[in-house]
Amino acid sequence: MAEAIESIKLKVKKYLELENVSFLFGAGSSFHLGAPVIRTIPQPLKDQCLDETAHYFGKGADPSYEDLFNCLQADRYLKEMKKEDVSSLNSSMVKMQKWLFEQCDTNKTSIHSIYSSDSKLQKNRYHYHEVLVKKLLQRPVHLKRANLFTTNYDMAFDYALDNLGVHYINGFMGVHNRCFRPEVYDYDLYYPGQSAIGKVHRAEKVLRYYKMHGSLSWVSTTPNVSNTYGIKEIPLNDNFPIDENNEIMIYPCVSKKSFTLDLPYSELFRQFSQSINQPQSVLICVGYSFYDEHINDIIKQALSIPSFTLIIANFAPKADPESEIEKLQALGDRRIIILDQTIADQSTFVGFVDKIMPDLYEEDEITYVAETMEKIYPAKKNDQDVIGNDTISQDEKVESDSNTKQDVEATDDLPF
């Protein structure tokens, strides 16, 4: 298996050095943080929605979260067309949105039990998100900016990027009043050179970031001159107000494909299509199960380009022959590389980052950096780190492996 993983890592490294690189992250990228999977209604919320469930599906029915939310949304639309009161429907929808908001706040969720013994996550819950970003930013600076797309509403990547001091272009402009302006995606960051002839250098720690289904930090407001789309980005805090006049910009429902025809979603999906339909492009899907038709349509269109490559890492204990991923596998197209869905070290988000995502810097260069940083910041207390109430030795933090490069990766001593 080790040889297979090393072979996959070399392939991924080759594709990361292409001009156009895009990542697409789905719910699987937040699973280890305890974020919910909403294909079914979790019991705590189900108990709060008994009346709504019985009204639309019958007593004792067990619909998915999306099915119930979709019914509420459709019912509200019909009542609004008839000029009828929709306050009770708004209340039910806000209740569901508020629950999802609270469950998707990855600063407050509990690490999934499968990863409870992972000391790296105990020390920093965004460890693997940060490592992926660090490795992605190792791409040569002369190449196009990497694109990071996600269907998640949570803020895991937002927090990771902030922790690393990485500037991300996410379609919003402003400081105290951040409004959605799609032209921002065409901007870039440069700084003056040292010479007097007008040369400039491109900033290195920059990514393009797209939240394709919206975000917990987006709210719908009344459009005005300074905010023509009526979409505002706000910082998250414990006092975030949620009501029908200040809706969270998330739509986890079956009809969400129709929302992609409206702004800001139409612009975000246009950017997605444009990014992966470039020559010599690669799209790496991690934790995305291919359940969103509107995204699948764009990916299938990109497969018409001979130089396009699709890499998929999505964990499934048992492969479903009817799944979209298996259907893609059955095409036998060598441009479609699907990592073994049943092997966690390959296809989970944590496994992909830890075992598959390569370092683009030379091995000896990383080793030198690691040694230098250890000399600058020597370990204290007999090389022990205290995590919570547990004391973990330095040796426990580094996985036992004869490969020097893997040792360096385990300590996360990347260049920044």
Side-chain angles (χ1 to χ4, degrees):
M1 183 184 299
E3 292 183 0
I5 287 180
E6 191 62 31
S7 176
I8 295 170
K9 182 184 289 188
L10 290 175
K11 284 184 180 180
V12 173
K13 180 177 181 179
K14 178 183 71 173
Y15 288 113
L16 285 177
E17 294 172 341
L18 291 179
E19 181 74 12
N20 300 292
V21 172
S22 299
F23 275 80
L24 173 61
F25 296 98
S29 65
S30 298
F31 174 78
H32 63 290
L33 298 177
V37 176
I38 59 172
R39 292 197 189 101
T40 59
I41 302 178
Q43 192 61 48
L45 179 61
K46 187 183 296 184
D47 293 339
Q48 301 177 39
C49 299
L50 294 177
D51 293 340
E52 292 89 341
T53 300
H55 176 71
Y56 294 109
F57 301 95
K59 190 174 182 180
D62 188 24
S64 70
Y65 185 107
E66 293 189 349
D67 286 342
L68 180 55
F69 197 87
N70 187 59
C71 288
L72 290 167
Q73 195 168 53
D75 199 3
R76 182 174 69 172
Y77 174 78
L78 292 174
K79 288 184 181 298
E80 286 177 340
M81 293 296 100
K82 298 176 182 178
K83 308 297 182 182
E84 296 179 3
D85 179 45
V86 295
S87 57
S88 62
L89 293 172
N90 282 336
S91 177
S92 295
M93 294 176 69
V94 168
K95 174 176 61 179
M96 293 185 70
Q97 287 181 301
K98 183 175 181 180
W99 179 90
L100 187 60
F101 174 86
E102 292 170 347
Q103 300 303 311
C104 285
D105 188 350
T106 53
N107 267 348
K108 300 177 181 178
T109 55
S110 299
I111 300 297
H112 197 283
S113 58
I114 297 176
Y115 299 96
S116 59
S117 61
D118 191 322
S119 61
K120 298 170 186 174
L121 287 176
Q122 295 299 326
K123 185 176 181 179
N124 174 15
R125 62 174 47 223
Y126 302 115
H127 167 82
Y128 292 104
H129 287 81
E130 292 179 14
V131 170
L132 184 140
V133 170
K134 289 178 181 180
K135 292 183 177 182
L136 187 56
L137 288 174
Q138 292 174 0
R139 298 178 68 241
V141 70
H142 68 274
L143 298 176
K144 289 183 180 179
R145 301 292 190 192
N147 302 300
L148 197 161
F149 295 91
T150 178
T151 60
N152 296 347
Y153 317 122
D154 64 57
M155 306 288 288
F157 273 110
D158 303 65
Y159 291 135
L161 291 165
D162 283 346
N163 291 345
L164 294 174
V166 175
H167 183 88
Y168 51 98
I169 300 170
N170 69 344
F172 285 81
M173 178 183 290
V175 178
H176 301 293
N177 185 27
R178 290 184 58 77
C179 302
F180 182 73
R181 294 180 179 273
E183 64 270 20
V184 172
Y185 282 120
D186 296 324
Y187 296 174
D188 210 331
L189 267 68
Y190 294 82
Y191 59 92
Q194 299 300 317
S195 65
I197 59 176
K199 286 186 177 180
V200 295
H201 301 282
R202 194 170 70 158
E204 294 185 13
K205 296 170 66 174
V206 179
L207 287 175
R208 300 191 185 279
Y209 184 38
Y210 308 80
K211 304 192 78 169
M212 300 171 72
H213 286 166
S215 173
L216 296 181
S217 61
W218 298 8
V219 294
S220 175
T221 61
T222 303
N224 55 46
V225 175
S226 61
N227 186 0
T228 56
Y229 297 106
I231 302 168
K232 185 177 180 180
E233 184 182 38
I234 64 172
L236 294 184
N237 56 62
D238 292 335
N239 299 315
F240 181 76
I242 305 173
D243 57 56
E244 60 267 24
N245 297 317
N246 194 30
E247 294 182 349
I248 307 173
M249 294 297 295
I250 51 178
Y251 299 104
C253 55
V254 174
S255 63
K256 60 189 174 186
K257 185 172 182 178
S258 65
F259 285 106
T260 64
L261 302 176
D262 300 324
L263 285 166
Y265 304 100
S266 60
E267 178 60 28
L268 292 169
F269 280 84
R270 186 187 71 81
Q271 293 282 348
F272 179 60
S273 177
Q274 179 176 310
S275 297
I276 68 175
N277 278 281
Q278 300 289 328
Q280 300 297 321
S281 295
V282 60
L283 174 65
I284 303 176
C285 301
V286 183
Y288 173 63
S289 53
F290 282 74
Y291 277 99
D292 291 316
E293 294 179 9
H294 48 299
I295 295 177
N296 297 347
D297 291 343
I298 298 174
I299 295 175
K300 290 175 181 177
Q301 177 62 35
L303 285 169
S304 66
I305 302 174
S307 61
F308 174 73
T309 300
L310 175 63
I311 301 176
I312 301 172
N314 183 71
F315 181 73
K318 184 178 180 181
D320 178 7
E322 299 300 319
S323 69
E324 288 298 321
I325 294 179
E326 286 300 311
K327 291 178 181 178
L328 288 170
Q329 181 81 70
L331 295 175
D333 191 330
R334 64 181 183 181
R335 297 172 303 152
I336 302 175
I337 303 171
I338 301 178
L339 278 57
D340 194 321
Q341 297 183 72
T342 62
I343 299 179
D345 279 351
Q346 293 187 19
S347 53
T348 62
F349 177 79
V350 171
F352 181 86
V353 173
D354 196 40
K355 305 294 184 182
I356 304 298
M357 190 69 180
D359 283 302
L360 300 184
Y361 290 138
E362 294 298 326
E363 179 179 330
D364 57 349
E365 183 178 348
I366 298 177
T367 304
Y368 294 149
V369 172
E371 292 175 350
T372 299
M373 298 308 292
E374 287 174 357
K375 293 176 182 177
I376 295 176
Y377 301 102
K380 297 180 180 180
K381 297 182 180 180
N382 298 322
D383 291 331
Q384 291 183 332
D385 291 336
V386 178
I387 302 176
N389 295 324
D390 299 325
T391 302
I392 298 178
S393 68
Q394 186 70 15
D395 291 338
E396 290 175 323
K397 290 171 60 183
V398 182
E399 297 180 1
S400 177
D401 196 299
S402 61
N403 188 303
T404 302
K405 184 176 180 180
Q406 291 183 355
D407 286 348
V408 174
E409 289 176 344
T411 59
D412 191 20
D413 286 316
L414 293 171
F416 64 88

